[in-house]
Amino acid sequence: MAKAVAHAIDDGEHLLVQAGTGTGKSLAYLVPAVAHAFEAGKPAVVATATLALQAQIVDRDMPRVADALAPVLGRRPTYALVKGRRNYVCLNKLEGGFPDDEDGLLSVGQVDAAVGRLGQEVVRLREWASTTDSGDRDELVPGVSERAWRQVSVSAHECMGGKCPLVAECFVERAREAAKDVDVIVTNHSFMAIDSFEGRQMLPEHDVLVVDEAHELVDRVTATITDELTGTMVMTAAKKAGRMSDHTAAMDEAGEMLAQALEPLEEGRMLGIPDSVGLALARVRDTARTVQSDLKPPPGQEADGARQVARAAVDEIHENAERILEERELDVVWLSRDQRRGPVLRVAPMSVAMLVRDKVFGERTVVLTSATLELGGTFDAVAGTIGLRGEGAPKWQGLDVGSPFDYPKQAIAYVAAHLAPPGRDGAGDDTLDEIEQLVRAAGGRTLGLFSSMRAAQTAAEIMRARFGDEIPVLCQGEDQITTLVRQFARDPRTCLFGTLTLWQGVDVPGSSCQLVIIDRIPFPRPDDPLASARSQAIARMGGNGFMAVSATHAALRLAQGAGRLVRRADDRGVVAFLDSRMMTARYAGFLQRSLPPFYPTTDQKMVLAALARLDAMAPPPVAVEEPALRSLTGARADADGTEHPRPVAVPPPAPVSSRSAVTSGHAWTDEQDEELRDAAEAGMQLDELVDHFELPEETIAARVEQLGLAIASGALFD
């Protein structure tokens, strides 16, 4: 693989490499990338989809590459981690250079830490900000809620840039300045995409880009250029403009008009903009344009923090309304309903293939790699989605370097063919019984990957009731993913259940993960507007929309999910598919060819016996690495990359407590109950708790009533 990457860089030809887990693919692209950086005098850029892989590269792989190559190159190669602005604390905001968010949490945190967890989080953030070298949110362990983080960070559009009084001390500017002189820059897909689409102003000049976890690129790029609009967003932007404009009342009314126009509409794709919505959007666009003019600073003056925040909010409203009204040929517009925000109008491109071809592949050599780029035995499906097929496509090569693992001897692919195909009502009793038997045989050690959060939560609750204290069950949403994964990896008796987020980037080698359960084939939802629009477009051109979109999506997710099991040469275990369609459906062969070549079976008795044997023979779990302190460039604070324990006293992650109650499908922990009591004592309102817990109002209200607490309802959309 290293030779192929070096050849691609030398010839300026794009390369797609499928490299199975354990190949050492990061070393295979980092070594030629460093060699090119030394020769060309400019950095190579590596973009990943997940934070876990970014951390692996800067904490483990690059330090080893640097140590190995230093004697050969005459100096130690350098590297830096670059992220979006929202990932760093803003010193100007901490110093009062921006207005508080409307909930006033920053001032609450300053005045009274006893207000409960929210205020305490902000106090802890302020203390941490005075000691951190990097300002990077990922350094803060335990983490804080999104709501608290918003009090100390700004978006790229809100940032005052070179006009900020603290620009010389800014963590973001210092990190990017430091990155200009390194050999390898590590970033994420979204940041790389924004940089590409906006003229490459944020990353230093470079001519080699490596995209790792490339199977995620299309989804990350699509998410980056998806826009949304709600009546509340419009009214909030008007509120931020406040007295700086004489036309905010008109903009506020336009927001009300939009909310009313959207309210009676059903969820789903809009094949045309209804007249009432079109009129409201035009009003929003026009009033936003007027307020934009008002927000320009007076001649000779610079925009202060409050004006910059208002301009960013109003600009977003104007741009999104204008885009939706344009009804561009490749844009898909749809309405979805959010339990907290009400009706949300969204717009996204049906395809990003041409955009990626022009902006990502133009004027540099791109190497894309992943364990899952060949679907159904060919690169064609993935290549088509990123603009590498069809007339005018750039030249590229595809390479499958295989895997060092002996998959048929290391793992079993078990299909529970005796189960009925899954329905819309969630897992039936037979499926839940199957999960229980498998987990008991494995002695815990189970990663459960479910098609929806509700399915994961329901299975977790039922298994907790059946296992008691014998086998702990963690569930996504109860803490940060990284914290949950570390807990799962430490205790081999533990299970971790979750949804899509866990299908990628979870790396738990060794005996802590010997069973991966996949509850159903992960097709896109039938009402997914983008997937259905893409399927219909392909069908109109004479293609098979289902196979090109739905089956390809499912194959990619299944391959990623199954890939969680075998992470190194001595791993053993079972991937259990609880969906009999993996054997019976006409597309089953396509899905099976997309999986690692595990030993296939439908024999439940054999699988249960194999899991029991593995449990009895299991070695101790692999040691779990704790989060690292980081320097300004994102490297570990110990520059040599040695994995030392974190030298800061932080409270350990709270163990998941026994469930105190379940309301509307959500299991409340003792810690969450304590937060509710703090909130009641502090006089907080229900809408603030909806924001904090990210749960529906009725779920929180039911638990508040069970606890006998008094919390004001508040106005959810004011």
Side-chain angles (χ1 to χ4, degrees):
M1 178 175 170
K3 289 179 180 177
V5 172
H7 180 75
I9 293 173
D10 289 343
D11 287 4
E13 188 171 83
H14 306 307
L15 176 68
L16 272 64
V17 186
Q18 174 158 295
T21 305
T23 305
K25 56 179 169 289
S26 53
L27 299 179
Y29 60 68
L30 286 172
V31 171
V34 167
H36 176 74
F38 268 64
E39 184 179 320
K42 59 181 73 172
V45 174
V46 176
T48 77
T50 62
L51 292 172
L53 182 55
Q54 287 176 35
Q56 176 191 313
I57 292 171
V58 297
D59 292 346
R60 296 204 310 234
D61 298 335
M62 266 310 300
R64 291 169 184 169
V65 168
D67 290 344
L69 296 187
V72 181
L73 297 172
R75 70 165 173 84
R76 197 170 189 273
T78 54
Y79 50 95
L81 183 62
V82 174
K83 301 180 181 180
R85 201 167 290 273
R86 268 290 187 202
N87 292 280
Y88 299 89
V89 67
C90 172
L91 295 174
N92 192 30
K93 193 160 189 178
L94 275 176
E95 295 299 321
F98 287 85
D100 285 353
D101 286 1
E102 56 256 51
D103 48 29
L105 189 56
L106 190 59
S107 57
V108 168
Q110 288 172 302
V111 173
D112 186 4
V115 73
R117 178 173 173 178
L118 296 178
Q120 289 170 355
E121 283 183 329
V122 174
V123 171
R124 190 159 69 86
L125 276 168
R126 294 180 68 83
E127 292 171 349
W128 167 76
S130 66
T131 60
T132 176
D133 289 328
S134 70
D136 184 346
R137 181 179 183 177
D138 288 328
E139 185 187 300
L140 185 66
V141 178
V144 296
S145 66
E146 181 62 27
R147 187 169 170 224
W149 184 255
R150 285 202 308 267
Q151 305 298 317
V152 298
S153 63
V154 295
S155 68
H157 293 302
E158 292 170 341
C159 174
M160 297 171 66
K163 299 164 187 172
C164 175
L166 296 177
V167 65
E169 302 165 51
C170 174
F171 289 117
V172 179
E173 298 304 324
R174 289 166 60 207
R176 292 182 186 175
E177 188 62 32
K180 290 180 180 178
D181 299 321
V182 303
D183 301 306
V184 175
I185 294 170
V186 182
T187 187
N188 59 56
H189 289 182
S190 298
F191 190 86
M192 178 275 295
I194 293 169
D195 180 64
S196 300
F197 302 156
E198 297 185 358
R200 301 194 192 168
Q201 300 297 312
M202 297 182 292
L203 290 171
E205 182 185 350
H206 60 279
D207 54 13
V208 171
L209 168 66
V210 178
V211 180
D212 204 339
E213 300 177 307
H215 61 277
E216 283 290 318
L217 180 62
V218 168
D219 284 348
R220 300 300 170 113
V221 169
T222 302
T224 299
I225 52 178
T226 296
D227 290 322
E228 64 179 34
L229 199 59
T230 70
T232 307
M233 283 175 62
V234 179
M235 291 182 273
T236 300
K239 186 177 179 181
K240 287 179 178 177
R243 296 177 181 174
M244 290 178 282
S245 168
D246 295 330
H247 300 91
T248 53
M251 188 173 171
D252 192 74
E253 289 171 6
E256 289 273 12
M257 184 178 174
L258 178 62
Q260 291 170 9
L262 296 178
E263 187 56 45
L265 301 181
E266 293 186 5
E267 283 189 288
R269 185 182 175 192
M270 289 183 177
L271 295 175
I273 304 295
D275 290 344
S276 59
V277 176
L279 286 170
L281 286 170
R283 184 82 183 279
V284 168
R285 177 197 60 198
D286 295 344
T287 56
R289 185 188 296 132
T290 303
V291 174
Q292 278 179 318
S293 299
D294 294 342
L295 289 176
K296 292 177 182 175
Q301 293 186 25
E302 302 288 357
D304 60 12
R307 190 175 294 270
Q308 191 66 24
V309 167
R311 289 175 71 182
V314 175
D315 287 351
E316 181 183 15
I317 297 301
H318 179 264
E319 290 165 10
N320 294 359
E322 191 167 55
R323 177 182 176 184
I324 295 169
L325 282 167
E326 284 175 4
E327 298 189 71
R328 300 173 190 170
E329 184 181 358
L330 285 180
D331 267 353
V332 178
V333 179
W334 72 97
L335 183 79
S336 59
R337 290 193 176 274
D338 185 288
Q339 288 184 309
R340 184 170 61 86
R341 301 164 67 204
V344 182
L345 202 55
R346 291 191 166 94
V347 57
M350 184 188 305
S351 168
V352 296
M354 292 302 103
L355 189 63
V356 171
R357 177 192 288 186
D358 295 341
K359 300 295 186 181
V360 174
F361 287 99
E363 299 179 7
R364 59 185 164 192
T365 304
V366 182
V367 175
L368 300 103
T369 185
S370 167
T372 48
L373 283 181
E374 278 191 301
L375 299 176
T378 172
F379 287 104
D380 288 351
V382 170
T385 63
I386 54 177
L388 293 182
R389 296 184 68 195
E391 188 178 347
K395 290 178 63 178
W396 60 280
Q397 294 290 326
L399 172 68
D400 182 354
V401 298
S403 168
F405 301 147
D406 189 348
Y407 281 124
K409 291 185 178 179
Q410 288 186 244
I412 294 171
Y414 163 59
V415 178
H418 58 282
L419 295 177
R424 293 187 176 183
D425 299 328
D429 291 342
D430 289 348
T431 300
L432 293 167
D433 292 343
E434 184 84 16
I435 293 173
E436 181 184 358
Q437 290 182 71
L438 290 166
V439 173
R440 284 194 186 281
R445 311 180 190 277
T446 301
L447 181 66
L449 303 176
F450 293 83
S451 53
S452 69
M453 183 60 85
R454 177 174 293 181
Q457 290 171 337
T458 300
E461 275 310 306
I462 292 172
M463 292 306 122
R464 282 170 179 143
R466 295 187 183 188
F467 297 145
D469 295 334
E470 180 186 354
I471 299 175
V473 180
L474 308 173
C475 191
Q476 183 179 345
E478 294 168 348
D479 206 326
Q480 296 183 98
I481 291 291
T482 50
T483 303
L484 290 172
V485 171
R486 283 196 295 270
Q487 286 181 258
F488 171 59
R490 282 192 201 102
D491 181 7
R493 293 289 155 198
T494 297
C495 301
L496 174 58
F497 288 2
T499 181
L500 190 64
T501 314
L502 293 178
W503 290 57
Q504 64 208 9
V506 173
D507 186 7
V508 181
S511 61
S512 291
C513 183
Q514 294 188 335
L515 171 62
V516 174
I517 292 175
I518 297 176
D519 70 331
R520 64 191 299 158
I521 298 172
F523 292 122
R525 286 175 44 180
D527 59 352
D528 182 307
L530 276 177
S532 60
R534 288 166 179 164
S535 291
Q536 291 164 14
I538 290 167
R540 282 196 299 272
M541 293 186 289
N544 186 325
F546 172 80
M547 290 302 295
V549 177
S550 296
T552 297
H553 176 278
L556 187 58
R557 297 294 175 220
L558 285 172
Q560 280 292 306
R564 300 308 96 198
L565 180 68
V566 178
R567 310 302 294 175
R568 55 185 204 177
D570 56 353
D571 284 346
R572 301 287 186 276
V574 173
V575 178
F577 301 94
L578 308 187
D579 190 332
S580 55
R581 293 175 296 176
M582 286 291 295
M583 297 294 294
T584 60
R586 58 184 170 81
Y587 47 79
F590 175 79
L591 298 181
Q592 291 166 11
R593 287 193 300 275
S594 302
L595 297 172
F598 299 149
Y599 177 82
T601 186
T602 58
D603 187 339
Q604 184 198 55
K605 189 176 293 186
M606 184 195 83
V607 166
L608 293 176
L611 286 169
R613 282 197 305 275
L614 287 172
D615 180 40
M617 299 163 50
V622 175
V624 178
E625 183 180 346
E626 297 303 319
L629 285 171
R630 300 203 176 276
S631 67
L632 191 62
T633 59
R636 294 175 65 101
D638 47 336
D640 63 356
T642 308
E643 296 174 4
H644 298 310
R646 182 180 175 85
V648 174
V650 296
V656 177
S657 63
S658 58
R659 279 19 219 173
S660 52
V662 178
T663 60
S664 303
H666 175 72
W668 291 90
T669 64
D670 294 338
E671 182 186 9
Q672 289 173 326
D673 284 348
E674 194 58 39
E675 289 179 45
L676 287 175
R677 293 186 181 97
D678 284 346
E681 188 176 336
M684 293 179 65
Q685 294 192 330
L686 190 56
D687 58 322
E688 294 179 286
L689 297 180
V690 167
D691 225 9
H692 170 60
F693 287 109
E694 297 182 348
L695 291 170
E697 181 180 5
E698 60 270 18
T699 303
I700 299 172
R703 186 58 184 152
V704 166
E705 186 177 350
Q706 288 175 350
L707 294 173
L709 303 175
I711 290 183
S713 62
L716 213 51
F717 302 114
D718 58 359

